[in-house]
Amino acid sequence: MKKIPIIDSHTGGEPTRVVLGGFPDLPHSTLAEKLAALREQHDQYRAAVCTEPRASEITVGALLLPPVKVGSVAAVIFFNNVGYLGMCGHGTIGVIATLRYLRRIQPGVHRLDTPVGTVACTLADDGMVTIENVPSYRHQQAVTVAVEGYGEVVGDVAWGGNWFFLVDANHLPFGRSDIPDLRNFARSIRDALGKQGITGQDGAAIDHIELFGTPSSANFDSRNFVLCPGGDYDRSPCGTGTSAKVACLADDAKLLEGQRWRQESIVGSCFEASYRRAANGIVPIISGRAYVCGEGSLLLDADDPFKFGIQ
Ligand code: PYC
């Protein structure tokens, strides 16, 4: 029986499963090499953690590793039921909450290495976490895509640590009961982007679709629905998605440096965002709170035909 010790948390409703051990050794020096080895040689461990019967489409896994950069507290590789994520905002907040729960960190500033860069995270006394994300930017503005069953849809392509297609969908209802319709719409957009060759920089696939609707109250600036690569939606306002949004707002001069943006998720949770300018775009600053909600071990029984998940 193989054991994989884990801690579960959720950030605004979106789960993060931190893996503390039990994965094969990744004795490479860079995080990119470790990620490549995990993907190419040990991908079944990702599936064991993030697919059914132990998890679902919405689970984000976070493999906790020793830091690769001087001054960092840890390194992390994020993954889900279909593959790997460059960065993950809600997941980073979950990792910091987990390190706090394990008493490995105290309130203060902690640096976390991710495959797309090092992220500074500030843990406050009350458990709030503020992350300074990787530099984010709008790649293309007002791109038109023909979406089967919906007609022409216009959106922006932006990077916030993952690639996003951002669509103003204020004309659509944004209640909980509208989620199936929003999901179908977002999935159709993603299919159309792939078929029509609309990509991020250097041909990168756009694997997150972000729709914006009217917020539930004047406490928020906007409400979003974010389709994740696995096919389900982010219960949180999506840290990298909020970063992509802030990059577009900054480009349009609709949000000034240091000004606050309150992004509501489709389930009513909130991330507070702002940005500072940097040489290569803007640095989004995202605050949220995660709660540890489970602790234990996954067991991989050698006799279990689904020990590495249903794939
Ligand atoms: O919070 O950045 C995020 C995220 C990406 C996918 C799910 N959550």
Side-chain angles (χ1 to χ4, degrees), residues 14 60 85 87-91 162 208 228 234 236 238-241:
E14 181 75 355
V60 169
L85 291 162
M87 227 307 271
C88 181
H90 93 266
N162 294 300
H208 291 74
C228 294
D234 196 333
S236 85
C238 192
T240 50

Side-chain angles (χ1 to χ4, degrees), residues 39 43 46-47 50-51 56-59 79-85 190 207 228-232:
R39 178 189 280 133
D43 193 49
R46 171 195 62 73
C50 275
T51 62
S56 76
E57 281 186 329
I58 70 165
T59 310
F79 47 86
N80 58 20
N81 61 319
V82 292
Y84 297 83
L85 291 162
R190 190 164 60 195
D207 53 5
C228 294
D232 214 328

